[in-house]
Amino acid sequence: MLLLKKRLRFVACIVFAFVLGSLAGCLAFHPSLPPEGDYKVGGVISGEITDGSFGQVRVPLSSVTLNDRPVSGGAYWTFYVDERKGEQKPDDLLPGKYVSFQASLYHPSGAVNPDGYNFRESLLRKGITFGLYGNDGLVISEPDSFYYAGFIASLRHSLSEALIRGLGDETGRYASALLLGMSSQIPSEDHEAFANLGIAHILSVSG
């Protein structure tokens, strides 16, 4: 490329960048996945912990190990708590914490219908390549070394809590969504109302 003439060098750089980008995109969209099955899991909570329907808890993990062996890509970890039996989400389950537990690994599926929701693609956009279900033998601790994703998640969580304490519950939650991207702080019915009004973009940092 360096030995080519000026115009040809420019064209060669464009072609090289296109090929490199296509290869990187292909590798990201078709990652190598560990086999499905039961594993001893370790990882750092690297994002918001959100609550789903019927007691579901959803947690993003990074720096994941399976049977004490590191794997590439993040994990989408879910488990359930049965409030009717007095079960509750652990109070110390917070962003930045290190967790270890037994879980079943599965491969997220794509869209069933042509225009349907693509769960697999949605996770891949967040750097998550596989899912985990279960929390048998859950142990929560401080990480034994520095993890960038965990540090950022912990910092955002601390700032969000400070906003809620300083501004009050409702105003603080909206401030967390607008300033820190903590969209889960906004009730689902408010999300729906903003979407119906066509102004849902203001609930994102870029908006």
Side-chain angles (χ1 to χ4, degrees):
M1 288 168 56
L2 294 175
L3 295 177
L4 294 173
K5 294 182 180 179
K6 186 175 182 179
R7 183 173 299 178
L8 290 176
R9 186 188 309 159
F10 175 76
V11 173
C13 289
I14 294 297
V15 172
F16 176 74
F18 176 78
V19 172
L20 187 63
S22 299
L23 179 62
C26 184
L27 291 175
F29 197 71
H30 300 282
S32 59
L33 299 175
E36 293 184 328
D38 296 331
Y39 291 90
K40 174 186 174 185
V41 182
V44 177
I45 301 176
S46 57
E48 295 179 75
I49 300 169
T50 55
D51 299 324
S53 303
F54 308 105
Q56 185 189 53
V57 181
R58 300 174 291 210
V59 185
L61 297 178
S62 64
S63 304
V64 180
T65 60
L66 300 175
N67 294 340
D68 298 322
R69 301 181 67 177
V71 294
S72 60
Y76 179 78
W77 171 36
T78 59
F79 63 92
Y80 284 84
V81 292
D82 191 343
E83 295 180 352
R84 295 172 300 178
K85 297 181 179 179
E87 297 178 354
Q88 292 184 341
K89 180 173 62 178
D91 293 334
D92 54 347
L93 188 70
L94 299 170
K97 296 285 189 177
Y98 185 87
V99 292
S100 58
F101 53 93
Q102 294 282 341
S104 298
L105 185 149
Y106 65 92
H107 299 162
S109 58
V112 177
N113 300 317
D115 296 322
Y117 176 68
N118 194 322
F119 180 53
R120 174 180 176 273
E121 184 175 335
S122 175
L123 293 181
L124 285 174
R125 291 180 185 276
K126 302 174 184 177
I128 295 174
T129 57
F130 58 89
L132 297 166
Y133 176 72
N135 64 336
D136 293 341
L138 174 62
V139 177
I140 305 170
S141 61
E142 295 292 338
D144 56 1
S145 58
F146 178 79
Y147 296 94
Y148 176 77
F151 171 75
I152 294 298
S154 178
L155 178 61
R156 289 175 69 220
H157 178 75
S158 299
L159 292 174
S160 175
E161 286 194 325
L163 287 171
I164 292 172
R165 287 195 304 269
L167 299 176
D169 187 71
E170 184 177 13
T171 306
R173 290 180 183 277
Y174 271 95
S176 296
L178 294 170
L179 300 175
L180 303 172
M182 306 282 281
S183 58
S184 66
Q185 298 283 8
I186 305 296
S188 57
E189 57 269 21
D190 288 2
H191 271 288
E192 185 177 351
F194 274 83
N196 291 337
L197 290 170
I199 54 173
H201 59 280
I202 71 171
L203 295 179
S204 65
V205 175
S206 58

